[in-house]
Amino acid sequence: MRVAENWVDYELIDCSDGEKLERWGKYILIRPDPQVIWKTPKTHPLWRRADARYHRSATGGGKWEVYTELPDRWTIRYGELVFNVKTMGFKHTGLFPEQAVNWDLTAELIRGAGRPVKVLNLFAYTGAATVSALRAGAAVTHVDASKGMTQWAKENAVSSGVREKPVRWLVDDCVKFVQREKRRGNTYDIIIMDPPSYGRGPGGEVWRLEDEVYGLCVECADLLSENALAFLLNSYTTGLGCGVTEYILSSVIRQRRGGRVSGEEIGLRAAASGLCLPCGTTAVWQSV
């Protein structure tokens, strides 16, 4: 497992009985997590002194129970990167802290390339990977179907001091965008793909990851430049683990272009136990 160990403003304090106890800056949140099936004792005192807790509803969705007044949003820092976070619907805060391992990997590839690097970030959400790549010196094309999430990403770019860096902000259906880029003959040195398990495009198009991911990877493989560096494929979907995504990238890219593919869980270390919570998977193709 690749574990995000370099956080200062975020901490997974403990996890038990379907919940995570987390510190986001100075605020303590309790959020549900279906991976946490163990029922270890919740002895850490912050379980009883959280600022807010998200309760899932048996009929779907849920709501936040706020114990201490929270700001509409606040910032947390990861190295030179500054992100705006807030409590939002369906338990989220606008940031996935375990993804820091992938921000670091991508930034290292960009800085080590010794040449201009073009990055395509698909399903780019609030732009953490975009901001990290811009800070490392890449030119980024950021694509997401949500206008609101794209605006949030722009705000993260401002907070991180990279708003003047070369970036295209596109509110678009990722599949259709990739198909148009193929026709245009555009290519990229690094492609990052963080697709949702389920979603809808701007025109109501339905996206189901298990149905669409292989075909989209085939399309995206044609967008890799002649001297491409990497392709990252994230998954948070049950049943679509690192072995599956590693197989996809191996068959779609490595068999055509060589290089190597690795697939691993990504996760966070719980401070109370020292154990690591798996939070998703990433398969990575690298040219060398």
Side-chain angles (χ1 to χ4, degrees):
M1 185 187 300
R2 296 163 58 220
V3 181
E5 303 273 24
N6 297 323
W7 278 102
V8 175
D9 283 0
Y10 170 85
E11 182 181 24
L12 175 61
I13 301 167
D14 198 8
C15 49
S16 178
D17 196 17
E19 294 184 309
K20 297 183 292 189
L21 177 67
E22 303 168 294
R23 178 177 59 82
W24 293 83
K26 66 179 182 179
Y27 299 105
I28 304 300
L29 305 181
I30 298 174
R31 299 191 297 154
D33 191 316
Q35 294 271 70
V36 183
I37 62 173
W38 48 89
K39 298 185 179 182
T40 49
K42 293 182 175 180
T43 56
H44 198 288
L46 288 177
W47 281 109
R48 296 178 294 279
R49 298 206 303 270
D51 295 296
R53 186 180 214 143
Y54 187 88
H55 297 281
R56 275 199 170 131
S57 169
T59 58
K63 65 178 181 179
W64 285 95
E65 181 179 7
V66 179
Y67 309 118
T68 304
E69 185 175 358
L70 295 173
D72 290 338
R73 64 174 59 197
W74 66 98
T75 60
I76 64 171
R77 181 180 294 272
Y78 183 76
E80 297 180 313
L81 309 178
V82 180
F83 301 114
N84 299 277
V85 298
K86 64 179 180 179
T87 52
M88 48 189 297
F90 196 64
K91 79 179 181 180
H92 294 307
T93 63
L95 192 70
F96 293 88
E98 65 276 6
Q99 286 290 334
V101 294
N102 290 329
W103 311 334
D104 290 344
L105 171 62
T106 305
E108 181 181 352
L109 290 171
I110 294 166
R111 293 188 175 112
R115 58 180 171 87
V117 173
K118 291 174 59 182
V119 173
L120 173 61
N121 188 12
L122 296 171
F123 308 95
Y125 194 48
T126 60
T130 294
V131 170
S132 175
L134 289 171
R135 171 63 68 179
V140 182
T141 297
H142 172 112
V143 188
D144 195 273
S146 168
K147 183 177 179 180
M149 293 300 106
T150 303
Q151 178 58 37
W152 193 337
K154 293 178 181 179
E155 293 164 4
N156 283 335
V158 171
S159 297
S160 294
V162 295
R163 65 177 176 177
E164 302 302 327
K165 300 290 186 178
V167 57
R168 290 196 296 162
W169 305 104
L170 300 174
V171 178
D172 203 347
D173 177 88
C174 289
V175 175
K176 292 180 179 177
F177 172 79
V178 167
Q179 292 168 346
R180 289 197 303 273
E181 287 292 89
K182 282 182 61 177
R183 292 194 294 269
R184 294 169 183 144
N186 290 336
T187 60
Y188 298 87
D189 302 301
I190 297 174
I191 297 177
I192 301 166
M193 196 161 76
D194 197 356
S197 299
Y198 177 87
R200 290 186 179 273
E205 305 88 348
V206 175
W207 164 275
R208 290 184 180 86
L209 184 61
E210 62 271 26
D211 297 333
E212 306 289 348
V213 65
Y214 178 78
L216 183 54
C217 286
V218 170
E219 301 264 22
C220 285
D222 292 332
L223 295 184
L224 288 169
S225 66
E226 182 178 349
N227 297 312
L229 299 170
F231 189 115
L232 285 76
L233 173 59
N234 293 308
S235 172
Y236 288 90
T237 303
T238 303
L240 204 72
C242 51
V244 175
T245 51
E246 182 178 352
Y247 194 104
I248 290 172
L249 294 193
S250 294
S251 61
V252 169
I253 304 175
R254 185 181 58 81
Q255 289 186 4
R256 291 170 49 185
R257 305 185 58 137
R260 57 190 174 92
V261 174
S262 60
E264 294 182 79
E265 289 182 313
I266 58 175
L268 298 163
R269 191 177 304 280
S273 65
L275 301 175
C276 294
L277 172 67
C279 300
T281 68
T282 302
V284 183
W285 170 81
Q286 294 186 68
S287 57
V288 294

